[in-house]
Amino acid sequence: MNFELDEDHRMIADLVRRFVEDELVPLEAGVLDRAIAGEEVQLTPEETERVNAVSRELGLWGLDAPEDVGGHDLPAVAMVGVNEAMGRTIVPYTLPPDSPNLRMLAATVDDRQREAYLAPYVRGETISAIGISEPGAGADPAGMKTYAVRDGDDWIINGRKIWITKANRADFTILMAVTDREKGARGGISAFLVDGDAPGFEVVRPIPVIGGETLYEVVLEDCRVPSWKLLGTEGQGFAPMQLRLATRRAEMAANAIGMAQRALDMMIDYAPQRTTFGKPLSERQTVQNWVSDAAIKLHAARLMTYDCAWKLDQGRDTRTEVSMIKSFALETAWEVLDHVMQCFGAMGMTREMPLQQMAARIRLMRIYDGPTEIHNWVVARNLLGTRA
């Protein structure tokens, strides 16, 4: 077995890592200053414009987008290295377009939707959001109540969605709704492309969360969506949504590995320099255990994530592996960050260092796209079901 990326994919991962170190890491001080001031953790419009220009010039847009709409069509395996590199910075920047929504669109759009939605999205001309969770229906889609009914050549959607990233500025939202109450999650959920200015679609409130991020709640009141904006097949929205979630969870695992690896690197650099009671921290067995445990678990998490990505590229059923990497990588990163912050002592508690922002992001990711406990349950259910 060959556990190395091929040369082209390794070169892309190295290019992204240099981009992160040269263009994004220098912007962290400003991001932290805004967080300390109580502002949202984000780049300024000027910073975003400059970073976009550089990343586009380097050919880093549309990395995993289909070639027929201007992308590079990279496999999931190649994106693990890319996403790990992007995870090494606290700067909230995504190489356009966002892979999870991209993958779902690419798998389901028809010719008209490809031209109207997918192609502009790949070109970086539009922003998308995803509307899945609802008040009272998060990890379990069977509780979804947002409902869509036909009305002539349109669909009328009513309901409420919550925990949506970028809803306030998205040009369109991929929105999940029940189209057959009797079938529910088993053939009764459909996906729709809902424009941000669609009548009846309203962002009703921002929801500040830890780490300086903001999510949003939206309400749909008799929201009229033309029938051609049904994404994929009626009643079969759950399968492409699972593709989207698998892509997102693999992305999150790689991001978490990148964050934890950077934190570990910081501890390795710092421990020999800091002396307590006559010895450097690097000679304390506890710190040595933290370093070795982190290195071992991150190596395992990285191999697990590449294995899952390879299986995704092969079109295999990866439901168990996706839950495994979402759980293991995020919990490992959480443990590593905690130990690194402990090693840095009071410095690790300051908001002037990136560690606290990394820890806040990991804490959020342990909930996003299914909490750890749900993923552990999925692994057990799949194994026990297989043996039943």
Side-chain angles (χ1 to χ4, degrees), residues 78-352:
M79 294 303 294
V80 173
V82 169
N83 290 320
E84 181 178 341
M86 292 298 292
R88 291 183 63 89
T89 180
I90 61 166
V91 172
Y93 179 76
T94 300
L95 293 169
D98 177 61
S99 292
N101 289 355
L102 165 73
R103 294 272 185 169
M104 183 174 180
L105 288 170
T108 51
V109 291
D110 58 25
D111 290 341
R112 184 175 182 182
Q113 293 166 346
R114 180 180 296 271
E115 182 65 26
Y117 286 94
L118 180 61
Y121 189 49
V122 172
R123 293 194 297 265
E125 297 170 1
T126 58
I127 296 171
S128 74
I130 185 80
I132 304 173
S133 296
E134 300 180 3
D140 183 7
M144 191 178 296
K145 292 183 171 59
T146 296
Y147 190 58
V149 295
R150 286 188 178 275
D151 182 39
D153 291 332
D154 299 333
W155 288 89
I156 304 297
I157 306 177
N158 284 279
R160 185 179 295 264
K161 294 292 181 179
I162 200 168
W163 315 125
I164 302 179
T165 304
K166 299 180 291 189
N168 63 321
R169 55 193 179 94
D171 297 285
F172 66 95
T173 295
I174 302 172
L175 190 127
M176 311 302 296
V178 177
T179 49
D180 188 325
R181 286 195 174 98
E182 291 186 5
K183 293 181 179 178
R186 298 183 179 275
I189 294 179
S190 303
F192 296 89
L193 296 165
V194 181
D195 295 333
D197 59 357
F201 180 88
E202 182 183 2
V203 178
V204 292
R205 70 177 176 119
I207 309 171
V209 296
I210 62 173
E213 297 186 32
T214 302
L215 306 178
Y216 295 87
E217 183 176 5
V218 304
V219 168
L220 299 101
E221 293 184 355
D222 294 329
C223 179
R224 185 173 293 273
V225 177
S227 60
W228 71 270
K229 296 186 181 184
L230 171 72
L231 185 61
T233 304
E234 179 182 345
Q236 301 302 312
F238 196 68
M241 182 181 74
Q242 287 301 308
L243 172 62
R244 190 259 175 204
L245 291 173
T247 302
R248 174 61 173 149
R249 288 159 181 166
E251 178 184 76
M252 293 172 75
N255 285 160
I257 292 166
M259 271 185 269
Q261 185 64 58
R262 181 181 175 190
L264 174 59
D265 293 342
M266 291 172 65
M267 181 162 62
I268 291 171
D269 289 340
Y270 176 74
Q273 301 175 33
R274 173 65 168 168
T275 299
T276 61
F277 302 99
K279 282 187 178 182
L281 291 178
S282 57
E283 294 184 17
R284 304 292 183 183
Q285 188 173 20
T286 295
V287 174
Q288 293 173 350
N289 288 341
W290 288 345
V291 170
S292 64
D293 287 350
I296 291 166
K297 291 181 179 181
L298 287 176
H299 182 57
R302 189 175 286 113
L303 291 177
M304 288 172 63
T305 304
Y306 273 114
D307 172 74
C308 181
W310 181 80
K311 289 175 179 175
L312 279 170
D313 288 331
Q314 300 300 311
R316 297 192 187 184
D317 182 348
T318 60
R319 284 174 290 183
T320 299
E321 288 87 346
V322 163
S323 284
M324 284 179 173
I325 64 172
K326 172 63 165 62
S327 172
F328 187 72
L330 270 295
E331 293 304 316
T332 292
W334 178 247
E335 178 184 277
V336 172
L337 261 296
D338 186 62
H339 288 163
V340 174
M341 294 174 78
Q342 196 77 2
C343 181
F344 272 82
M347 286 179 57
M349 302 299 104
T350 68
R351 300 180 69 187
E352 297 174 350

